């Protein structure tokens, strides 16, 4: 770090501490003057302060609601970040148990966080189900249909010319005969990659019908609500690399990578700032150390990982 350039991590910590002190003693003229002097020290100080002030302002109603608790304990860094998280809309999700129950009812096979499970279907096709993922199976005389309800899966398809093998997920369907491929759905992004063989992907993107033929090593990712599709080539072993606890990313959004890492990371992860979530990240990340992988993904985007509790981790700007 060059001389004279402030460390943003330190400034963020200082700004949060000042907010906490002001919240606990709002009429203290000394603290108010300290904040005035701190903000005037540099343009970066002012930028960090405005960012923290924005988070605090958005969470003010939550913090006021907790006032009786704060009077006993004082506003803490945990309260501050938790308030920001709730204000961002994540609080309600902590109590959203109904979707989880519905998923369990629909799924024929389900995994928990950190679990990778190999499943042999009745036609001898093999499914490697990623962590925190679920599928439903619907076989009949004319088709072999798999619904990817959540997460990621790698399919090694047994040949059957009379019954196509199709995976459905969100607005996409992927059909194959005698091939191996992966399909994943993370933070609204669909990913399809072919290990060997050929697959056909069909989807409706902004009311336009899309048809893509993918061959060995080809990979694509798209968001059904957006018109663009990202394409690339992968070498052998990189398709569904998560089977070996490795995450290979090429210009993927931070939010989709965080969602994928979250299948190995205990507790809920929330990206507070959508701007960071849209940043594109490339690299290879070790899923055997999910917290380290999370930090490695977030750092290039100018973010920081705050683990408030074992059940809640927040990603925010530094």
């Amino acid at each position: 770090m060059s001389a004279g350039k402030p460390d943003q991590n330190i400034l963020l910590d200082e700004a949060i501490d000042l907010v906490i002190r002001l919240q606990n003693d709002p009429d203290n003229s000394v603290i108010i003057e300290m904040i005035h002097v701190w903000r005037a020290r540099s343009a970066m100080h002012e930028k960090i302060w405005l960012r923290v002030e924005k988070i605090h302002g958005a969470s003010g109603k939550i913090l006021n609601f907790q006032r009786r608790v704060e009077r006993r304990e004082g506003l803490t860094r945990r309260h501050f970040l938790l308030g920001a998280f709730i204000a961002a809309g994540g609080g309600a999700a902590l109590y959203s148990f109904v979707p989880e129950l519905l998923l369990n009812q629909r799924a024929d096979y389900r995994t928990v966080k950190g679990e990778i499970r190999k499943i042999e279907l009745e036609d001898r096709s093999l499914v490697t189900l990623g962590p925190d993922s679920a599928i439903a199976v619907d076989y009949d005389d004319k088709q072999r249909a798999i619904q990817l309800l959540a997460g990621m899966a790698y399919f090694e398809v047994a040949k059957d010319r009379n019954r196509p093998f199709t995976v459905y997920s969100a607005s996409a369907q992927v059909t194959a005969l005698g091939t191996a491929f992966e399909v994943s759905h993370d933070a609204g992004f669909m990913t399809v990659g072919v290990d060997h063989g050929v697959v056909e992907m069909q989807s409706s993107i902004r009311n336009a019908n899309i048809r893509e033929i993918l061959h060995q090593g080809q990979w694509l990712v798209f968001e059904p609500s957006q018109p663009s599709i990202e394409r690339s080539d992968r070498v052998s072993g990189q398709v569904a690399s998560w089977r070996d606890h490795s995450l290979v990313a090429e210009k993927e959004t931070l939010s989709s990578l965080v969602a994928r890492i979250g299948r190995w990371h205990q507790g809920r992860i929330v990206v507070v700032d959508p701007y960071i979530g849209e940043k594109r990240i490339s690299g290879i990340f070790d899923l055997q150390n999910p917290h380290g992988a999370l930090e490695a993904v977030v750092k290039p985007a100018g973010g920081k990982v705050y683990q408030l509790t074992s059940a809640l981790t927040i990603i925010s700007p530094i």
Side-chain angles (χ1 to χ4, degrees), residues 7-19 38 41 45 48-49 77:
D7 187 315
Q8 293 188 33
N9 291 332
I10 294 176
L11 295 188
L12 181 65
D13 287 340
E14 290 176 355
I16 291 175
D17 288 339
L18 287 170
V19 168
W38 189 91
R41 289 177 61 184
H45 282 75
I48 294 294
W49 177 263
R77 182 178 302 274

Side-chain angles (χ1 to χ4, degrees), residues 278-294:
E278 294 171 358
K279 292 289 187 71
R280 297 280 176 168
I281 307 296
S282 299
I284 300 176
F285 307 97
D286 182 9
L287 294 172
Q288 294 186 91
N289 178 12
H291 188 81
L294 196 62

Side-chain angles (χ1 to χ4, degrees), residues 115-154:
E115 177 191 9
I116 296 177
R117 182 180 178 188
K118 201 155 190 175
I119 303 154
E120 182 175 347
L121 303 178
E122 63 181 64
D123 66 335
R124 295 190 176 180
S125 292
L126 298 177
V127 181
T128 304
L129 194 58
D132 198 19
S133 301
I135 59 171
V137 181
D138 183 15
Y139 277 22
D140 59 30
D141 294 338
K142 296 182 179 180
Q143 68 169 356
R144 295 173 290 171
I146 305 291
Q147 184 77 33
L148 180 62
L149 302 172
M152 61 191 73
Y154 176 77

Side-chain angles (χ1 to χ4, degrees), residues 32-42 45:
I32 293 172
E33 181 60 20
M34 287 175 59
I35 292 172
H36 177 75
V37 172
W38 189 91
R39 293 175 65 177
R41 289 177 61 184
S42 73
H45 282 75

Side-chain angles (χ1 to χ4, degrees), residues 39-261:
R39 293 175 65 177
R41 289 177 61 184
S42 73
M44 183 58 69
H45 282 75
E46 178 67 4
K47 180 180 178 181
I48 294 294
W49 177 263
L50 292 176
R51 183 179 297 165
V52 171
E53 189 178 54
K54 181 179 179 181
I55 295 173
H56 179 263
S59 62
K61 292 181 180 179
I62 302 300
L63 298 173
N64 288 335
F65 183 75
Q66 296 174 333
R67 184 163 293 172
R68 282 183 297 177
V69 175
E70 293 170 11
R71 284 173 180 167
R72 294 195 304 269
E73 302 176 5
L75 176 63
T76 65
R77 182 178 302 274
R78 177 178 178 274
H79 289 140
F80 175 82
L81 292 174
L82 184 59
F85 162 67
I86 295 173
L94 287 175
Y95 305 99
S96 183
F97 298 115
V98 173
E100 187 76 10
L101 293 174
L102 292 176
L103 183 62
N104 285 332
Q105 289 179 351
R106 295 177 63 193
D108 291 308
Y109 301 96
R110 179 87 194 267
T111 55
V112 298
K113 283 180 178 284
E115 177 191 9
I116 296 177
R117 182 180 178 188
K118 201 155 190 175
I119 303 154
E120 182 175 347
L121 303 178
E122 63 181 64
D123 66 335
R124 295 190 176 180
S125 292
L126 298 177
V127 181
T128 304
L129 194 58
D132 198 19
S133 301
I135 59 171
V137 181
D138 183 15
Y139 277 22
D140 59 30
D141 294 338
K142 296 182 179 180
Q143 68 169 356
R144 295 173 290 171
I146 305 291
Q147 184 77 33
L148 180 62
L149 302 172
M152 61 191 73
Y154 176 77
F155 303 92
E156 299 170 83
V157 182
K159 291 184 178 181
D160 186 339
R161 296 185 181 277
N162 297 319
R163 293 191 302 167
F165 187 100
T166 303
V167 177
Y168 298 88
S169 182
S171 62
Q173 62 182 62
V174 184
T175 302
L177 285 172
T179 188
F181 62 100
E182 74 162 314
V183 180
S184 69
H185 191 192
D186 296 297
F189 288 86
M190 289 290 305
T191 301
V192 181
V194 180
D195 193 33
H196 62 262
V198 182
V199 304
E200 177 189 64
M201 190 280 289
Q202 297 183 63
S203 182
S204 296
I205 301 176
R206 283 199 171 183
N207 298 321
N209 293 322
I210 304 296
R211 179 177 179 268
E212 296 275 341
I213 302 296
L214 282 76
H215 298 267
Q216 179 175 334
Q218 293 183 326
W219 172 92
L220 61 81
V221 61
F222 65 95
E223 188 178 6
S225 62
Q226 301 297 324
S228 62
I229 296 178
E230 302 285 343
R231 300 173 177 84
S232 70
D233 294 325
R234 299 289 173 96
V235 299
S236 178
Q238 287 189 343
V239 174
S241 61
W242 48 264
R243 293 174 295 160
D244 298 318
H245 303 285
S246 177
L247 173 58
V248 179
E250 183 176 342
K251 296 181 180 179
E252 295 188 50
T253 64
L254 181 143
S255 59
S256 64
L257 294 177
V258 167
R260 184 168 294 196
I261 294 170

